[in-house]
Amino acid sequence: MAPIETLSEHACFGGVQGFYRHASSVIGLPMRYGVYRPPQAAHGPVPVLVWLAGLTCSEETFAIKAGAQRVAAELGLMLVTPDTSPRETGIAGADAAWDFGTAAGFYIDATNEPWARHWRMESYLTQELPTLLAQQFKVRADATALFGHLMGGHGALTLGLKHPGLYRSVSAFAPIAAPMLCPWGVKAFSGYLGDDRSAWAAHDATTLIEAGKRLPPLLVDQGLADKFLAEQLNIDAFEAACRAAGQPLTLRRHAGYDHGYYFIASFIEDHLRFHAAALRAAG
């Protein structure tokens, strides 16, 4: 595996918040990621909790804004924050829109050119990144969990559904829960996958639940003052699909909370403790 470049490291709640870069063989370009190592990592392998960020975000957003490190240090959780897409690809149009292209990888493997050359985020997250983390840090390979926000909530739900056994627990904040039904999803899937809607279904959490895919018991938080709730998120459709399919779901709706990181910071501790309990149960 190619060498890993340390961009910066910072002492944080007895552990270390670091940011790194490596040459990704899956993406074909350098990729950046953040890792918070709790103090327990100095003494042996620890569970891993991977955060998938939303549109326009990077590997730094969660680490700076969510306020998660204090509780992660208490619980002994390693927090991993991959970037949201390849960058500096040289592809025409990659930086033309905030909701498609750079910082908007949607955590899928593109099949349409020119995006198929580098936009392979699903394979990166499920194949290359776990190997990279095991090489670089003391991690429990059998104890990985996944959560995310907006586009990253979509990624957490769909990757959890498509890769059973890889993640011990999954949760989400304000996920794009039925992307085939919303403008963001239609734009991304049309661009990355083409016009065949049958190919889109493999990347839509609501459709995957309806098709029989399942997750461990699931926690989702949604702010009711979220300006994207009605048009983009379709959380009610996802809830209905889970209810019909018998998929365990705790969906908490919060009056007054909007879409941003003030909302995430308000409930992040609940998610960390939710995942810590599932990861402890893994042995």
Side-chain angles (χ1 to χ4, degrees):
M1 186 171 288
I4 297 161
E5 179 185 0
T6 299
L7 301 177
S8 66
E9 291 187 328
H10 317 272
C12 185
F13 291 104
V16 178
Q17 176 65 59
F19 298 98
Y20 309 94
R21 179 168 53 207
H22 75 115
S24 168
S25 59
V26 168
I27 300 295
L29 291 167
M31 287 293 291
R32 303 195 308 257
Y33 59 100
V35 175
Y36 175 68
R37 306 197 303 273
Q40 296 86 340
H43 308 290
V46 295
V48 176
L49 181 52
V50 179
W51 171 265
L52 304 182
L55 293 163
T56 76
C57 294
S58 74
E59 77 285 355
E60 293 184 319
T61 311
F62 178 84
I64 294 170
K65 292 185 175 183
Q69 292 93 337
R70 177 185 60 82
V71 179
E74 174 196 335
L75 298 173
L77 293 175
M78 180 175 291
L79 302 175
V80 177
T81 56
D83 202 354
T84 48
S85 81
R87 296 181 187 266
E88 299 180 10
T89 61
I91 293 176
D95 299 318
W98 66 272
D99 56 355
F100 181 82
T102 301
F106 271 80
Y107 305 107
I108 65 176
D109 286 355
T111 55
N112 256 8
E113 294 296 344
W115 312 102
R117 278 180 264 166
H118 300 301
W119 263 256
R120 296 178 49 78
M121 291 300 293
E122 180 174 352
S123 292
Y124 176 72
L125 291 168
T126 60
Q127 298 172 26
E128 187 171 20
L129 184 62
T131 301
L132 180 75
L133 296 172
Q135 174 198 17
Q136 188 180 6
F137 302 109
K138 295 176 181 178
V139 301
R140 283 183 52 195
D142 64 335
T144 300
L146 185 65
F147 65 158
H149 173 227
L150 180 63
M151 176 183 74
H154 142 77
L157 296 176
T158 56
L159 294 184
L161 287 162
K162 294 172 66 178
H163 299 274
L166 185 57
Y167 305 107
R168 295 287 183 170
S169 54
V170 175
S171 73
F173 289 86
I176 304 174
M180 292 176 68
L181 302 179
C182 76
W184 282 335
V186 170
K187 181 176 182 177
F189 290 174
S190 298
Y192 294 137
L193 302 173
D195 296 329
D196 181 3
R197 293 181 68 91
S198 65
W200 299 8
H203 307 285
D204 182 293
T206 299
T207 302
L208 288 168
I209 291 287
E210 292 170 343
K213 299 290 187 182
R214 294 293 179 267
L215 287 163
L218 179 65
L219 173 63
V220 175
D221 278 304
Q222 176 63 60
L224 293 180
D226 187 328
K227 65 181 180 181
F228 302 118
L229 177 57
E231 183 180 24
Q232 301 284 9
L233 303 185
N234 291 293
I235 196 68
D236 293 341
F238 181 72
E239 181 184 32
C242 288
R243 184 184 302 114
Q247 164 65 49
L249 169 65
T250 299
L251 174 57
R252 308 190 304 182
R253 295 175 170 89
H254 303 279
Y257 284 89
D258 63 19
H259 188 76
Y261 267 83
Y262 295 114
F263 163 54
I264 293 170
S266 298
F267 301 103
I268 193 64
E269 181 170 349
D270 294 348
H271 284 247
L272 296 182
R273 295 192 183 280
F274 169 80
H275 289 291
L279 293 167
R280 281 196 299 270

